[in-house]
């Protein structure tokens, strides 16, 4: 397993070592010891989530506020997504900046998204199964979001296709109006 820096140093691409042959492949999708060695981080994961979506579904941008803030380790097991993390820590030198990474069943990459980041993804294939580990449980009272199309963020979602959203995601505030991290 190796960690690859992104344009925002706190967000990391995690690339597993894959052993493949004519039978298929094998890799460790998570090893605490190897994750710590690759990243220098020691998260404790308490919840695993699994979502399935069709093509053109945009989920996000979601996060939880303290004291129930969550870090996430996300990956795709079927299909392909464009995954985005937005720094929403006011005191951060990268506040308001975002990184986007292609995650797919083929590249088997994962994305580490620390606390203080909003997260979202756009499905690029007809079927997507998306898995993520979180460092805190889902807490509706701490759940927040930001509009996916906030013009100050100017996220390039890499598509001009029609998108599908939840009603909740269509009502999210702009970054300027959202409750975020100090």
């Amino acid at each position: 397993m190796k960690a690859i820096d992104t344009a925002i140093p706190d967000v990391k691409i995690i690339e597993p070592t894959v052993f493949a042959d004519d039978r298929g492949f094998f890799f460790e999708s998570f090893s605490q010891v190897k994750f710590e060695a690759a990243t220098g981080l020691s998260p404790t994961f308490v919840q695993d989530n699994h979502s399935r979506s069709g093509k053109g579904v945009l989920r996000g941008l979601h996060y939880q506020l303290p004291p129930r803030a969550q870090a996430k380790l996300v990956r795709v097991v079927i299909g392909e997504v464009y995954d985005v993390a937005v720094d929403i820590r006011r005191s951060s030198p990268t506040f308001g900046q975002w990184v986007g990474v292609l995650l797919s069943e083929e590249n088997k990459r994962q994305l580490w998204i620390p606390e203080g980041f909003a997260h979202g993804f756009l499905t690029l294939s007809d079927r997507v199964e998306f898995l993520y580990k979180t460092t805190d449980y889902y807490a509706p009272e701490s759940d927040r979001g930001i509009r996916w199309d906030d013009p100050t963020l100017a996220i390039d979602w890499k598509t001009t296709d029609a998108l599908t959203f939840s009603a909740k995601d269509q009502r999210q505030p702009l970054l300027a109006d959202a409750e975020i991290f100090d």
Side-chain angles (χ1 to χ4, degrees), residues 1-181:
M1 173 182 300
K2 70 178 178 179
I4 302 167
D5 288 335
T6 67
I8 300 175
D10 294 334
V11 178
K12 308 271 185 213
I13 297 168
I14 307 300
E15 196 166 75
T17 301
V18 179
F19 302 94
D21 60 26
D22 58 348
R23 300 169 297 159
F25 67 85
F26 170 85
F27 69 95
E28 292 177 344
S29 60
F30 183 75
S31 163
Q32 185 75 30
V33 169
K34 291 178 181 176
F35 186 86
E36 288 177 10
T39 65
L41 303 168
S42 301
T44 299
F45 294 110
V46 299
Q47 183 172 317
D48 281 5
N49 300 314
H50 186 148
S51 73
R52 180 170 55 196
S53 304
K55 187 174 185 173
V57 172
L58 198 150
R59 296 183 184 263
L61 300 159
H62 303 146
Y63 57 97
Q64 285 188 184
L65 290 173
R68 303 303 301 271
Q70 294 177 321
K72 297 176 183 177
L73 182 62
V74 304
R75 69 187 183 108
V76 171
V77 294
I78 296 174
E80 182 176 63
V81 306
Y82 186 64
D83 201 87
V84 171
V86 180
D87 190 344
I88 57 169
R89 304 168 296 174
R90 285 189 208 281
S91 60
S92 170
T94 56
F95 173 71
Q97 295 179 30
W98 59 273
V99 293
V101 176
L102 186 68
L103 301 178
S104 71
E105 67 182 292
E106 283 82 25
N107 69 25
K108 297 171 185 45
R109 287 180 158 186
Q110 300 176 54
L111 192 64
W112 166 253
I113 303 158
E115 292 179 7
F117 283 76
H119 170 251
F121 63 92
L122 171 63
T123 59
L124 303 175
S125 56
D126 290 336
R127 180 175 173 193
V128 169
E129 299 224 8
F130 189 86
L131 305 179
Y132 57 105
K133 299 176 154 320
T134 63
T135 58
D136 203 345
Y137 299 101
Y138 174 68
E141 69 280 2
S142 296
D143 186 37
R144 299 293 187 278
I146 297 169
R147 291 261 322 166
W148 66 277
D149 60 350
D150 184 323
T152 63
L153 298 175
I155 297 170
D156 178 2
W157 288 100
K158 310 279 189 211
T159 188
T160 57
D161 294 341
L163 303 177
T164 303
F165 308 93
S166 69
K168 172 184 162 182
D169 286 346
Q170 288 177 317
R171 292 189 310 268
Q172 297 291 8
L174 298 174
L175 177 62
D177 302 319
E179 291 179 76
I180 58 173
F181 291 72

